[in-house]
Amino acid sequence: MEIPYTVEPRPDTGLYNAKLGIWLFLASEVMLFGALFSTYILLRTGNPNWVQHPMDVPLATLNTMILISSSVTVVLAWAGLRLNNFAQFRKFGILTFLLSAGFMVVKSFEYSAEFSAGLFPWTDNYMAVYFTMTGLHGLHILGGMVVLGYFLGPGAKMWKSNPKQFTNRIEVFGLYWHFVDLVWIFLFPSLYLL
Amino acid sequence: MGHDSPEAIKAEVKRYMMVFAALAVLTIVTVAVSYLDLSIGAAVVVAMIVASVKGTLVAAYFMHLLDERKTIYWMLAMTALFFGVLMIVPAGAIADHTGTSTEVAREGGEEHH
């Protein structure tokens, strides 16, 4: 039996199923990260002896630029498919993958420097919040890389059999990726600059 | 939603590049402001305003929320409502001064009379 509404929109929602699904998932993600931000505010304002360790702002700024760039490359990859140009999708898809790998490499440098300085998740509340939030965000990047790797590799076969559905899949992946970028946009000032 | 004529897609791509430039400039602004000698309250307000502008640009253009179905707007409105509740929890805790030293001191003072 064929799964309905993978390409054409459902009459009641006006959306194809995967798009409705990803927005519901992103709503749950807002609550997940929202709970962590809420915890951070509560811990920080409730502790008069809050210790804020100086973080590596240049490296975090570089990572912000990397993530913003990857958001652009994702929409350019999607635009390529809509223009029926698979080569453009492939080029910008690979670039997105490389940028996300770059983000993880920079993050690993940061974590190593922090471990070398004796800063661990159990050091104090700030470090616990920092590692929990950036770690969870990093896991989201890793998850995105796995999905994108699939679409650039074995999953790309669908472009030949069902190009519309493949284009929709990349749109849905893009929405997830922009959300991960959006979370970082708030994490960066909250954890590094304030 | 996206309109699929090649001209419309190419116009979108131009907009994406402009948004990218705006996000890059705002990132530099965020970092620059952090080097100013602002009080923590002012620094939080400025940082969150800049982050909100950046977030709005990402949501409006990259996630194409400027032109979406009502279903998504309703879903996001519900998400915003519950997110607001999550943020009210720490705000309520901060505003709650029951049992703080000021009140204890005042009650202690009253006992002496």
Side-chain angles (χ1 to χ4, degrees):
Chain A
M1 194 182 82
E2 199 177 312
I3 299 170
Y5 308 116
T6 52
V7 174
E8 75 280 12
R10 268 178 74 109
D12 50 358
T13 62
L15 303 163
Y16 60 90
N17 281 348
K19 195 159 174 179
L20 181 67
I22 193 72
W23 275 109
L24 282 169
F25 173 70
L26 293 183
S28 75
E29 290 277 279
V30 168
M31 300 311 285
L32 172 66
F33 280 101
L36 291 174
F37 271 105
S38 180
T39 307
Y40 173 41
I41 296 167
L42 195 58
L43 285 173
R44 187 162 174 175
T45 54
N47 183 357
N49 303 314
W50 182 262
V51 179
Q52 185 84 10
H53 300 281
M55 293 285 121
D56 197 327
V57 174
L59 274 189
T61 308
L62 173 65
N63 256 353
T64 307
M65 290 297 190
I66 288 174
L67 265 197
I68 290 169
S69 306
S70 74
S71 260
V72 179
T73 52
V74 159
V75 282
L76 293 179
W78 179 55
L81 293 179
R82 289 161 68 211
L83 289 165
N84 213 19
N85 183 346
F86 187 78
Q88 181 179 327
F89 157 72
R90 207 168 170 73
K91 181 173 77 180
F92 286 108
I94 290 171
L95 203 50
T96 306
F97 190 88
L98 292 175
L99 285 166
S100 48
F103 180 93
M104 293 308 287
V105 168
V106 172
K107 202 83 210 114
S108 71
F109 284 146
E110 263 188 78
Y111 276 9
S112 324
E114 281 142 16
F115 294 150
S116 305
L119 299 171
F120 297 97
W122 53 87
T123 302
D124 53 36
N125 278 350
Y126 172 68
M127 293 317 295
V129 166
Y130 168 83
F131 280 113
T132 303
M133 294 180 89
T134 58
L136 186 65
H137 180 265
L139 284 176
H140 278 75
I141 298 273
L142 273 182
M145 287 174 72
V146 170
V147 173
L148 181 59
Y150 172 74
F151 288 141
L152 288 168
K157 275 186 286 189
M158 185 184 261
W159 174 249
K160 285 187 181 150
S161 59
N162 195 342
K164 282 248 179 215
Q165 190 180 353
F166 186 69
T167 306
N168 285 350
R169 284 184 165 190
I170 298 305
E171 181 186 17
V172 163
F173 169 76
L175 287 170
Y176 168 81
W177 196 253
H178 300 313
F179 176 78
V180 174
D181 182 17
L182 212 140
V183 169
W184 182 259
I185 282 173
F186 284 92
L187 276 183
F188 172 51
S190 306
L191 293 174
Y192 290 83
L193 304 176
L194 294 175
Chain B
M1 268 184 289
H3 302 285
D4 280 340
S5 76
E7 293 74 26
I9 295 169
K10 281 172 187 162
E12 265 179 50
V13 168
K14 271 189 192 160
R15 269 201 300 277
Y16 295 149
M17 299 317 288
M18 285 162 69
V19 171
F20 170 64
L23 290 172
V25 170
L26 286 169
T27 300
I28 293 163
V29 169
T30 311
V31 177
V33 166
S34 74
Y35 287 102
L36 297 178
D37 199 16
L38 296 177
S39 67
I40 183 69
V44 168
V45 169
V46 173
M48 286 305 117
I49 288 174
V50 178
S52 300
V53 172
K54 286 169 75 180
T56 305
L57 286 172
V58 170
Y61 292 98
F62 290 164
M63 299 173 93
H64 24 99
L65 280 180
L66 277 181
D67 179 25
E68 260 306 349
R69 297 285 180 191
K70 268 189 187 162
T71 314
I72 290 176
Y73 291 143
W74 276 110
M75 208 187 297
L76 286 177
M78 290 300 288
T79 310
L81 176 73
F82 285 105
F83 181 79
V85 172
L86 266 182
M87 291 300 132
I88 284 171
V89 173
I94 294 161
D96 178 13
H97 293 292
T98 309
T100 56
S101 55
T102 316
E103 195 160 61
V104 169
R106 188 165 51 79
E107 281 172 4
E110 279 166 4
E111 274 171 22
H112 283 293
H113 287 288

